[in-house]
């Protein structure tokens, strides 16, 4: 099966409809198990105490906030190059999820910062680039809503998305690029010496999987809604 | 059962609480909008089938 089969709205609705029940079960199981494990059954950190438990809500949503923008970048490019409507609608559907995940990461990060840095906010490169990314998400959603003609809206929002992707990349690598500010480096790394202890890493991985599945479920549901809305508009236009 | 959070209780519970509230609101809005669009589309398609 080719990924381009999803570009056909009828096939997308059929395949996503079949997949969704399984994905919902997997999401609930992995997220609930991971969060209970992380919150109730992990020890306090020697330096951070119980504040380390914020890791389990901050890191997965911050990681996804950046990667959802990357997904929107890819689907926007597909729209601009191949004109597949489902890819433009998938980008549209992903934006509110990305905005909420970014906001969740900023709030949990501010609360974490208040205990470890002694401040909720500082104009640090990582924090600032995350805030700019949130503004891009909101701007992207507002631009879609402000243009009536769907193809024109898809074109302009795709261009905005491409511009905003610079900040998504900066958000990911801000600590490495500027090597300053209060935010520490990545908690997760391919190098096992660099990432957090296994006591935290295992439940964190489970929550990461759950949060990704949650994104996938919400993305499929929202894209299905956008496809239906297109069909509704087409049927209403026939009535006029 | 509840872990001892000590002086970090407000920050930890605030982080979990805010994340759960935001994500739950997103899920509820997504499901409600999905149901509404499904209902509207079904009614319109029925109307169009009737016209044919």
């Amino acid at each position: 099966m080719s990924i381009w089969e999803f570009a056909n709205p009828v096939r997308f609705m059929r395949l996503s409809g079949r997949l969704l029940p399984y994905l919902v079960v997997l999401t609930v199981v992995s997220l609930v198990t991971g969060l209970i494990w992380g919150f109730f059954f992990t020890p306090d950190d020697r330096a951070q105490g119980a504040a380390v438990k914020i890791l389990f809500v901050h890191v997965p949503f911050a990681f996804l906030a950046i990667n959802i923008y990357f997904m929107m970048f890819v689907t926007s490019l597909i729209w601009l190059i191949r004109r597949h409507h489902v890819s433009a609608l998938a980008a549209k559907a992903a934006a509110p999820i990305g905005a909420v995940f970014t906001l969740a990461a900023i709030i949990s990060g501010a609360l974490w910062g208040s205990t470890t840095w002694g401040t909720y906010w500082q104009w640090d490169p990582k924090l600032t680039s995350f805030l700019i990314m949130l503004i891009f998400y909101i701007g992207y959603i507002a631009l879609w809503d402000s243009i009536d003609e769907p193809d024109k809206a898809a074109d302009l929002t795709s261009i905005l998305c491409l511009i905003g992707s610079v900040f998504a990349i900066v958000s990911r690598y801000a600590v490495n690029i500027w090597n300053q500010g209060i935010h520490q480096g990545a908690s997760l790394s391919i190098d096992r010496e660099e990432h957090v202890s296994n006591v935290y890493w295992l439940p964190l991985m489970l929550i990461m999987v759950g949060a990704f599945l949650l994104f996938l479920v919400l993305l499929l549901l929202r894209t299905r809604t956008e496809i239906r809305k297109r069909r509704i508009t087409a049927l209403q236009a026939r009535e006029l | 059962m509840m872990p001892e959070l000590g002086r970090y209780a407000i920050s930890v519970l605030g982080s979990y609480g805010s994340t759960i509230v935001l994500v739950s609101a997103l899920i509820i809005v997504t499901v409600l909008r999905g149901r509404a669009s499904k209902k509207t589309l079904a009614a319109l398609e029925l109307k169009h089938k009737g016209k044919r």
Side-chain angles (χ1 to χ4, degrees):
Chain A
M1 188 182 74
S2 158
I3 194 167
W4 301 116
E5 285 185 35
F6 275 96
N8 179 317
V10 178
R11 279 198 195 128
F12 178 87
M13 293 299 275
R14 198 172 52 225
L15 282 166
S16 59
R18 276 188 210 152
L19 277 173
L20 269 167
Y22 302 104
L23 288 174
V24 169
V25 173
L26 284 173
T27 304
V28 173
V29 170
S30 51
L31 259 186
V32 171
T33 311
L35 284 170
I36 289 174
W37 185 357
F39 187 81
F40 292 102
F41 301 106
T42 53
D44 288 356
D45 179 62
R46 198 173 40 189
Q48 297 187 44
V52 74
K53 292 183 192 296
I54 299 174
L55 172 91
F56 302 113
V57 284
H58 178 71
V59 173
F61 289 104
F63 176 81
L64 277 169
I66 298 167
N67 286 292
I68 290 170
Y69 210 100
F70 180 68
M71 171 255 153
M72 287 166 59
F73 171 81
V74 173
T75 48
S76 296
L77 265 185
I78 293 171
W79 163 255
L80 290 172
I81 297 166
R82 298 189 64 146
R83 313 301 283 180
H84 288 314
H85 285 94
V86 173
S87 66
L89 294 178
K92 184 185 181 186
I97 310 169
V100 169
F101 284 13
T102 308
L103 188 59
I106 289 173
I107 294 171
S108 59
L111 287 164
W112 201 0
S114 72
T115 64
T116 53
W117 306 326
T119 177
Y120 287 99
W121 183 264
Q122 206 174 81
W123 295 99
D124 156 285
K126 183 119 181 168
L127 274 63
T128 309
S129 56
F130 246 81
L131 183 64
I132 296 171
M133 193 169 72
L134 176 65
I135 294 167
F136 262 96
Y137 269 125
I138 295 167
Y140 179 92
I141 297 164
L143 190 58
W144 258 111
D145 288 341
S146 64
I147 302 167
D148 291 331
E149 213 277 291
D151 284 5
K152 192 179 171 189
D155 285 340
L156 294 176
T157 51
S158 295
I159 292 163
L160 180 69
C161 181
L162 301 190
I163 297 165
S165 62
V166 174
F167 288 96
I169 295 165
V170 168
S171 304
R172 172 68 185 85
Y173 296 106
V175 176
N176 311 60
I177 296 169
W178 283 282
N179 200 25
Q180 63 178 42
I182 54 175
H183 200 287
Q184 73 276 23
S187 305
L188 299 168
S189 168
I190 297 167
D191 182 356
R192 289 182 69 84
E193 292 297 312
E194 278 187 32
H195 71 60
V196 293
S197 154
N198 270 352
V199 178
Y200 304 114
W201 190 78
L202 293 171
L204 181 59
M205 277 299 108
L206 194 57
I207 299 168
M208 297 276 280
V209 170
F212 171 73
L213 289 170
L214 173 68
F215 161 66
L216 203 57
V217 167
L218 289 170
L219 178 70
L220 291 179
L221 285 172
R222 296 185 78 94
T223 308
R224 286 167 66 83
T225 302
E226 292 300 332
I227 291 171
R228 282 196 205 106
K229 279 165 73 181
R230 280 271 170 111
R231 176 90 179 125
I232 289 167
T233 310
L235 288 174
Q236 283 171 339
R238 266 195 234 167
E239 285 180 351
L240 298 173
Chain B
M1 185 65 188
M2 184 74 181
E4 185 54 57
L5 301 173
R7 64 192 179 98
Y8 302 113
I10 293 172
S11 300
V12 174
L13 295 177
S15 298
Y16 279 75
S18 59
T19 304
I20 290 168
V21 166
L22 282 170
V23 172
S24 301
L26 179 68
I27 293 169
I28 291 166
V29 169
T30 301
V31 170
L32 290 181
R33 284 186 62 194
R35 278 188 192 164
S37 70
K38 201 173 179 178
K39 206 172 157 185
T40 310
L41 182 59
L44 270 172
E45 280 182 335
L46 199 69
K47 197 173 157 187
H48 278 260
K49 270 183 191 169
K51 276 185 182 176
R52 276 187 216 153

